[in-house]
Amino acid sequence: NAGVMQNPRHLVRRRGQEARLRCSPMKGHSHVYWYRQLPEEGLKFMVYLQKENIIDESGMPKERFSAEFPKEGPSILRIQQVVRGDSAAYFCASSPPRGMQTQYFGPGTRLLVL
Amino acid sequence: AQSVTQLGSHVSVSEGALVLLRCNYSSSVPPYLFWYVQYPNQGLQLLLKYTTGATLVKGINGFEAEFKKSETSFHLTKPSAHMSDAAEYFCAVSDRGANSKLTFGKGITLSVRP
């Protein structure tokens, strides 16, 4: 059973470009979470999605950031008009629909904004 | 709102020595509690979790943690450190019940001296 997959692993963007990060949850998992890890800080929750629904977006910046988890395909975290402060590691986690509330993390996408 | 405190940012122990990483939480009701480990440039791996039942929880790689409600603590221990334990360790909490976001501490970097 493959784990949570994220791509790309590394992404370089210039200021003003768009960054698109992908996350494929573990097989059978219908819940996806996105977290951001800034240098010297712990992980901060961004958004929690189920298929075609945003459940909790309390950690998402109000502008430029959006997330989706379509019926088919991976979850996408999109950052428009990136700025240097967006440079961070972005982690996706998934969990099964019921049960023990354990989130399994992907390897992350490291975004560098030049 | 929940919060997690991990005192200090760096712990250094000798190989074979006891590992003790502290974690205290603040929550209106006892939450679910987790310890994750992160190796350089990788995602987070679950070490152990407490949801209900026995307050002493055993995890992978010889780690264990004890939930102490009176102290609002969930400290991580390992009797004998190994060089391969060098990594960053994160304590996290979540609300009980349905799937919900994780709130992380800032993390502690563990170094193991030969």
Side-chain angles (χ1 to χ4, degrees):
Chain A
N1 188 10
V4 178
M5 301 180 71
Q6 291 187 248
N7 67 81
R9 294 291 306 275
H10 299 272
L11 182 61
V12 179
R13 286 287 179 265
R14 297 189 180 280
R15 283 178 295 170
Q17 291 183 319
E18 178 179 287
R20 190 172 295 204
L21 289 62
R22 295 175 183 78
C23 169
S24 296
M26 288 180 69
K27 186 177 181 180
H29 288 193
S30 56
H31 299 244
V32 165
Y33 310 78
W34 285 94
Y35 294 85
R36 177 165 62 175
Q37 184 178 31
L38 294 167
E40 307 301 321
E41 295 188 19
L43 281 76
K44 302 291 187 185
F45 168 78
M46 300 182 75
V47 63
Y48 162 35
L49 310 103
Q50 295 177 22
K51 286 285 187 180
E52 302 184 280
N53 286 303
I54 296 175
I55 307 302
D56 180 355
E57 57 181 346
S58 58
M60 286 281 270
K62 299 300 181 189
E63 298 177 347
R64 302 186 297 109
F65 286 72
S66 63
E68 62 177 8
F69 188 17
K71 185 176 181 181
E72 300 292 336
S75 176
I76 306 289
L77 179 67
R78 182 183 303 166
I79 311 173
Q80 296 177 304
Q81 300 175 352
V82 295
V83 300
R84 288 205 174 122
D86 297 332
S87 295
Y90 292 82
F91 291 95
C92 168
S94 72
S95 66
R98 291 178 299 278
M100 301 304 291
Q101 172 56 342
T102 297
Q103 296 181 23
Y104 298 87
F105 282 78
T109 293
R110 283 150 181 84
L111 172 66
L112 175 62
V113 179
L114 301 177
Chain B
Q2 296 174 330
S3 66
V4 177
T5 301
Q6 294 184 251
L7 289 178
S9 60
H10 187 232
V11 170
S12 180
V13 301
S14 297
E15 191 173 19
L18 171 71
V19 176
L20 171 60
L21 304 180
R22 299 179 186 275
C23 173
N24 289 86
Y25 68 89
S26 174
S27 179
S28 55
V29 295
Y32 289 159
L33 296 149
F34 306 82
W35 275 98
Y36 283 88
V37 60
Q38 184 181 30
Y39 297 99
N41 296 315
Q42 295 187 26
L44 277 72
Q45 180 181 7
L46 179 68
L47 276 176
L48 47 78
K49 64 183 179 185
Y50 171 77
T51 55
T52 188
T55 56
L56 181 62
V57 180
K58 295 186 183 300
I60 62 172
N61 301 338
F63 285 94
E64 61 183 37
E66 186 172 11
F67 167 57
K68 292 187 176 181
K69 182 179 177 180
S70 61
E71 299 178 7
T72 60
S73 68
F74 192 56
H75 301 331
L76 182 71
T77 60
K78 181 174 181 178
S80 177
H82 191 271
M83 297 296 291
S84 61
D85 294 327
E88 191 159 17
Y89 292 79
F90 292 95
C91 181
V93 302
S94 74
D95 287 336
R96 291 185 162 272
N99 288 304
S100 64
K101 64 185 179 186
L102 292 169
T103 299
F104 284 88
K106 290 192 173 183
I108 297 176
T109 299
L110 174 66
S111 300
V112 182
R113 302 185 302 271

